[in-house]
């Protein structure tokens, strides 16, 4: 069974930094695009960033462009999100999400999420 | 403000049918595939429908999807109390800000 396990969440002050990690297992990690999707408390889903299997293409939501950096290490089956210049509005549960082999397949597996709280 | 527009809430009695709409534009729904996600309280979202109309293995045929032009619809028949959840539509957007977009979510209440 595909598993995605996030870690690295926590409490950070505005302007601070945090690095999220996602450990993937039970599938050929390098063959899939991976994403981060977040959900603020009591709010809907917001796509954050996407990275293709070989890291050739990377995309960011306007809300995080220039502050967040997505990366992956296929040798370690791991996905990362470096978050800098954090703002109160970045407070959310961050999900690591696998994208199907083609975009028409949508987001087929989600991790359990890790909570990031930005507060003074 | 979400790029895709969904009704905030819908409700129906057990055993009845409900539909949830998702409205977009030519840069997203009009030229890409729509997927739907179910988020039960306190859990991560789960893929319900992909490729506009298809169900992943394990999703009952009570759930269906359709798409026409720049809109998509999720249908649920034979409603059960266990279907109470938030439902989200999502798709790729080819506008200036390329990336995935979601609807604001619809809370389904089974009365």
């Amino acid at each position: 069974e595909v598993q995605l396990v996030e870690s690295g969440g926590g409490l950070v002050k505005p302007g601070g930094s945090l690095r999220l990690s996602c450990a993937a297992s039970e599938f050929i990690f390098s063959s899939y695009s991976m994403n981060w999707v977040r959900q603020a408390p009591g709010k809907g889903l917001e796509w954050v960033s996407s990275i293709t299997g070989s890291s050739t293409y990377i995309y960011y939501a306007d809300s995080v462009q220039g502050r967040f950096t997505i990366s992956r290490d296929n040798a370690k089956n791991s996905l990362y999100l470096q978050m800098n210049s954090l703002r109160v509005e970045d407070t959310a549960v961050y999900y690591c999400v696998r994208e199907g082999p083609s975009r028409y397949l949508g987001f087929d597996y989600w991790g359990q999420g890790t909570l990031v709280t930005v507060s003074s | 403000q979400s790029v895709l527009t969904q009704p905030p809430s819908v409700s129906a009695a057990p055993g009845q049918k409900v539909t949830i709409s998702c409205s977009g534009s030519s840069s997203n729904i009009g030229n890409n595939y729509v997927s739907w996600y179910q988020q039960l309280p306190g859990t991560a979202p789960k893929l319900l429908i992909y490729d506009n109309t298809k169900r992943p293995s394990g999703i009952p045929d009570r759930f269906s999807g359709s798409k026409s032009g720049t809109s998509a619809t999720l249908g649920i028949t034979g409603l059960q109390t266990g279907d109470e959840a938030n439902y989200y539509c999502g798709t790729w957007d080819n506008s200036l800000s390329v990336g995935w977009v979601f609807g604001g979510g619809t809370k389904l209440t089974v009365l």
Side-chain angles (χ1 to χ4, degrees):
Chain A
E1 176 74 16
V2 168
Q3 284 209 6
L4 300 169
V5 180
E6 302 94 338
S7 60
L11 175 63
V12 61
K13 288 181 167 51
S17 298
L18 212 54
R19 188 195 196 207
L20 304 184
S21 299
C22 171
S25 59
E26 303 304 324
F27 67 99
I28 302 173
F29 184 68
S30 59
S31 296
Y32 291 82
S33 291
M34 297 296 296
N35 294 258
W36 289 99
V37 175
R38 68 185 181 183
Q39 186 170 36
K43 302 297 184 182
L45 303 175
E46 180 188 15
W47 171 78
V48 172
S49 183
S50 175
I51 184 169
T52 55
S54 55
S55 303
T56 303
Y57 297 99
I58 289 175
Y59 307 96
Y60 295 100
D62 289 346
S63 58
V64 306
Q65 179 78 49
R67 301 187 299 122
F68 290 10
T69 302
I70 192 172
S71 63
R72 63 191 297 161
D73 185 335
N74 288 341
K76 295 182 178 179
N77 289 345
S78 293
L79 176 71
Y80 306 101
L81 185 67
Q82 177 65 45
M83 304 185 295
N84 297 331
S85 303
L86 281 162
R87 305 167 179 168
V88 171
E89 55 265 35
D90 294 318
T91 295
V93 172
Y94 285 72
Y95 294 103
C96 170
V97 186
R98 191 182 88 165
E99 191 176 318
S102 294
R103 267 194 204 123
Y104 74 91
L105 292 164
F107 293 148
D108 58 359
Y109 285 95
W110 298 63
Q112 85 288 349
T114 187
L115 176 62
V116 172
T117 303
V118 185
S119 174
S120 54
Chain B
Q1 194 82 348
S2 301
V3 172
L4 306 180
T5 301
Q6 297 180 234
S9 64
V10 296
S11 62
Q16 296 300 302
K17 172 184 176 178
V18 70
T19 60
I20 298 173
S21 61
C22 175
S23 178
S25 68
S26 59
S27 69
N28 42 66
I29 292 178
N31 284 284
N32 289 290
Y33 301 93
V34 177
S35 48
W36 289 90
Y37 305 88
Q38 177 192 59
Q39 187 176 31
L40 297 168
T43 69
K46 179 177 77 171
L47 180 63
L48 210 56
I49 297 288
Y50 68 93
D51 191 8
N52 304 325
T53 62
K54 296 181 174 58
R55 287 174 286 106
S57 171
I59 301 299
D61 59 6
R62 300 187 299 106
F63 295 89
S64 64
S66 65
K67 175 186 150 179
S68 177
T70 59
S71 294
T73 302
L74 173 70
I76 311 173
T77 60
L79 278 171
Q80 303 173 0
T81 54
D83 296 331
E84 279 209 348
N86 286 303
Y87 293 85
Y88 297 90
C89 58
T91 188
W92 183 259
D93 193 302
N94 299 107
S95 66
L96 212 56
S97 299
V98 171
W100 289 90
V101 291
F102 289 102
T106 299
K107 168 64 177 174
L108 168 63
T109 301
V110 181
L111 302 167

